[in-house]
């Protein structure tokens, strides 16, 4: 399997969510999702920073800055709900979640082979991010958390558009890696979204 399989398979989340007493309490799924998203957005930032260092493509620099904003938005939610931040060491490539640490190494190995492979890794990360974000949106009934996730989802669609645009500028037709081809085509064929 590809290095992404563990990430794309999700984290074995339980679909049967507990009903919540109040909007200020979070259940185990919501807490897990916030902690995971914090590191998943950091993973994207770290991979893109590393690829910018290797290949010097501006798209990696631009999107890594956006991912920095994303991971900080999740950090703000962790603070709001008084949850501990899994990012205890902000060094590139350092993760508490061992699946993400392993994945980071595999993604860097893959994207170090060519700039085209690096662009494909970028697109794969964004597709997987959207799948994970949609699951997390479905699992929370807290409007503030949903709003942040929707914002991150909008960003991921923009990033996917950017990576696919770069790939197609090289004369390669992009094939969806984790989402359906129809979903990818409809995202790529629709205009860039302004962040809210």
């Amino acid at each position: 399997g590809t290095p992404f399989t563990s990430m794309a398979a999700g984290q074995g989340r339980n679909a049967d969510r507990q009903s919540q007493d109040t909007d200020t309490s979070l259940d185990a799924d919501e807490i897990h999702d916030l902690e995971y998203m914090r590191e998943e957005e950091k993973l994207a930032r770290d991979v893109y920073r590393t690829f910018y260092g290797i290949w010097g493509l501006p798209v990696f620099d631009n999107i890594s800055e956006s991912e920095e904003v994303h991971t900080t938005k999740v950090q703000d939610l962790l603070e709001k709900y008084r949850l501990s931040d899994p990012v205890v060491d902000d060094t590139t490539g350092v993760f508490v979640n061992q699946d993400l640490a392993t994945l980071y190494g595999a993604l860097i190995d893959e994207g170090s082979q060519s700039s085209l492979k690096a662009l494909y890794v970028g697109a794969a990360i964004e597709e997987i991010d959207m799948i994970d974000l949609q699951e997390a949106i479905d699992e929370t009934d807290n409007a503030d958390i949903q709003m942040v996730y929707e914002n991150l989802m909008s960003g991921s669609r923009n990033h996917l558009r950017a990576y696919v645009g770069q790939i197609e500028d090289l004369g390669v037709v992009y094939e969806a890696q984790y989402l359906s081809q129809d979903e990818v085509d409809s995202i790529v064929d629709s205009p860039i979204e302004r962040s809210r």
Side-chain angles (χ1 to χ4, degrees):
T2 68
F4 315 108
T5 316
S6 59
M7 190 170 172
Q11 303 304 303
R13 297 193 183 112
N14 184 354
D16 302 320
R17 299 197 44 246
Q18 305 285 306
S19 61
Q20 290 180 216
D21 301 331
T22 69
D23 272 346
T24 56
S25 69
L26 300 183
D27 66 23
D29 284 336
E30 289 170 308
I31 292 167
H32 172 272
D33 289 346
L34 278 172
E35 291 171 347
Y36 189 74
M37 285 302 162
R38 168 76 163 126
E39 286 204 297
E40 191 173 46
E41 297 297 330
K42 179 187 184 295
L43 174 121
R45 182 201 72 181
D46 291 358
V47 168
Y48 304 158
R49 279 184 178 170
T50 303
F51 287 167
Y52 180 62
I54 296 170
W55 303 112
L57 296 176
V59 68
F60 289 123
D61 190 34
N62 297 339
I63 296 181
S64 74
E65 292 301 318
S66 173
E67 299 295 358
E68 172 68 18
V69 172
H70 285 186
T71 194
T72 304
K73 283 182 176 169
V74 180
Q75 182 184 20
D76 292 344
L77 285 172
L78 290 168
E79 285 175 9
K80 176 179 177 180
Y81 287 99
R82 296 185 173 83
L83 301 172
S84 59
D85 185 356
V87 179
V88 287
D89 182 346
D90 200 34
T91 307
T92 298
V94 176
F95 302 93
V96 169
N97 183 309
Q98 280 311 296
D99 292 338
L100 290 177
T102 303
L103 183 66
Y104 175 80
L107 296 175
I108 296 303
D109 288 348
E110 176 76 11
S112 298
Q113 296 171 37
S114 71
S115 56
L116 178 61
K117 284 194 172 181
L119 290 166
Y120 265 92
V121 167
I125 288 173
E126 298 303 337
E127 287 190 36
I128 292 165
D129 232 0
M130 284 186 249
I131 293 167
D132 289 346
L133 281 164
Q134 190 56 59
E135 281 185 20
I137 288 166
D138 293 344
E139 282 181 345
T140 186
D141 49 12
N142 292 55
D144 56 341
I145 296 176
Q146 283 176 343
M147 198 171 78
V148 169
Y149 288 161
E150 294 283 2
N151 218 334
L152 267 49
M153 184 84 96
S154 170
S156 281
R157 287 191 293 264
N158 283 343
H159 300 163
L160 183 64
R161 291 179 184 110
Y163 286 129
V164 172
Q166 296 269 317
I167 289 165
E168 297 195 331
D169 284 350
L170 298 170
V172 177
V173 175
Y174 181 75
E175 291 182 19
Q177 300 178 75
Y178 295 95
L179 296 170
S180 72
Q181 191 65 48
D182 285 348
E183 279 180 282
V184 168
D185 290 343
S186 74
I187 290 167
V188 171
D189 294 339
S190 57
I192 294 283
E193 298 163 56
R194 297 281 156 243
S195 59
R196 295 186 292 286

